[in-house]
């Protein structure tokens, strides 16, 4: 899903991502510095979101605290998590010859202690490092800095399954069928 097309502006999408995943109650100046956009661009999109009744702009005191409306917060967060998941699935499809299975965890509402578990076929370390960096970049694009990620070779997963490893059994019990 292309969020920029849905919301009509990359700046608007970045503002919503920032408010959802990084911090609420920020000022337009803080958004200007964090998003590397001009103040007029930020103000235009904030005004648009305010008119759409998506955000509240608290104008008390010296600065304006911008927050997503509480009754809208979870709904919009679900849309952005759907897009995050699709971005990850697209990446996994790009590397389908390497990635054997993947499981979405706690950040995606699943009963697993990790956010993302990737079972991969044996390949060189440079390729796995490249995939890890691309995964990190996707999460950073959503202003999510901390992600618990498990990268496990498929032969190790099979070995741990035979040994009744608690983590591997938890994956098998608590999650729906993978990819």
């Amino acid at each position: 899903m292309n969020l920029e097309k849905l919301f009509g502006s990359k700046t608007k999408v970045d503002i919503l991502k920032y408010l959802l995943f990084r911090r609420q109650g920020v000022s337009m100046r803080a958004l200007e510095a964090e998003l590397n956009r001009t103040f007029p661009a930020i103000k235009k999109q904030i005004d648009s979101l305010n008119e759409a009744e998506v955000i509240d702009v608290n104008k008390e005191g010296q600065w304006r605290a911008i927050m997503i409306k509480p009754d809208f917060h979870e709904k919009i967060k679900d849309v952005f998590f759907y897009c995050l998941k699709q971005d990850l699935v697209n990446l996994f499809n790009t590397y389908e010859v390497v990635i054997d299975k993947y499981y979405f965890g706690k950040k995606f509402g699943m009963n697993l202690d990790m956010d993302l578990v990737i079972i991969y076929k044996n390949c060189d370390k440079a390729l796995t490092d490249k995939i890890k960096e691309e995964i990190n970049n996707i999460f950073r694009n959503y202003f999510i800095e901390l992600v618990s990620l498990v990268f496990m070779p498929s032969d190790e997963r099979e070995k741990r399954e035979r040994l009744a490893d608690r983590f591997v059994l938890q994956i098998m019990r608590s999650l729906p069928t993978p990819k």
Side-chain angles (χ1 to χ4, degrees):
M1 174 183 284
N2 188 335
L3 288 171
E4 288 84 21
K5 294 290 185 188
L6 178 64
F7 290 101
S9 164
K10 181 163 177 32
T11 302
K12 190 181 292 181
V13 169
D14 285 346
I15 290 169
L16 289 170
K17 284 179 185 177
Y18 190 88
L19 294 172
L20 286 168
F21 300 114
R22 176 74 56 88
R23 181 177 79 172
Q24 291 210 63
V26 298
S27 67
M28 283 191 256
R29 291 289 179 196
L31 286 171
E32 174 187 22
E34 291 284 331
L35 301 178
N36 294 319
R37 301 283 197 294
T38 64
F39 186 81
I42 296 289
K43 181 168 180 359
K44 177 182 177 185
Q45 298 308 323
I46 291 296
D47 289 345
S48 173
L49 288 166
N50 195 25
E51 288 174 21
E53 299 182 10
V54 172
I55 62 170
D56 284 322
V57 181
N58 182 353
K59 299 177 184 177
E60 294 179 19
Q62 293 285 330
W63 57 289
R64 297 175 181 216
I66 302 162
M67 298 180 69
I68 295 177
K69 289 190 178 227
D71 56 337
F72 190 65
H73 190 272
E74 286 305 310
K75 292 170 181 71
I76 192 74
K77 193 172 188 176
D78 288 344
V79 170
F80 278 78
F81 261 111
Y82 172 80
C83 292
L84 170 62
K85 197 172 184 178
Q86 287 308 116
D87 289 347
L88 290 166
V89 168
N90 290 340
L91 175 70
F92 300 152
N93 289 338
T94 302
Y95 293 104
E96 67 185 346
V97 295
V98 176
I99 297 176
D100 190 26
K101 297 176 183 165
Y102 53 86
Y103 303 88
F104 293 98
K106 67 180 174 186
K107 222 176 243 335
F108 299 92
M110 302 307 284
N111 185 22
L112 184 64
D113 292 336
M114 297 293 134
D115 295 322
L116 190 57
V117 177
I118 298 171
I119 310 299
Y120 67 96
K121 299 170 187 155
N122 289 332
C123 63
D124 64 345
K125 183 173 174 9
L127 184 57
T128 57
D129 288 344
K130 180 180 179 194
I131 295 169
K132 288 176 189 176
E133 185 59 32
E134 289 184 40
I135 291 169
N136 282 331
N137 288 337
I138 289 172
F139 279 103
R140 278 189 212 111
N141 186 42
Y142 285 81
F143 297 102
I144 301 171
E145 296 293 327
L146 297 174
V147 178
S148 53
L149 172 67
V150 173
F151 235 74
M152 184 184 301
S154 57
D155 56 342
E156 180 182 339
R157 187 200 60 79
E158 291 167 5
K159 176 181 155 190
R160 289 173 71 171
E161 185 178 342
R162 283 191 307 273
L163 295 172
D165 179 80
R166 181 185 295 167
F167 179 68
V168 172
L169 292 177
Q170 180 188 16
I171 292 171
M172 293 170 59
R173 274 190 302 245
S174 65
L175 297 173
T177 307
K179 154 191 145 170

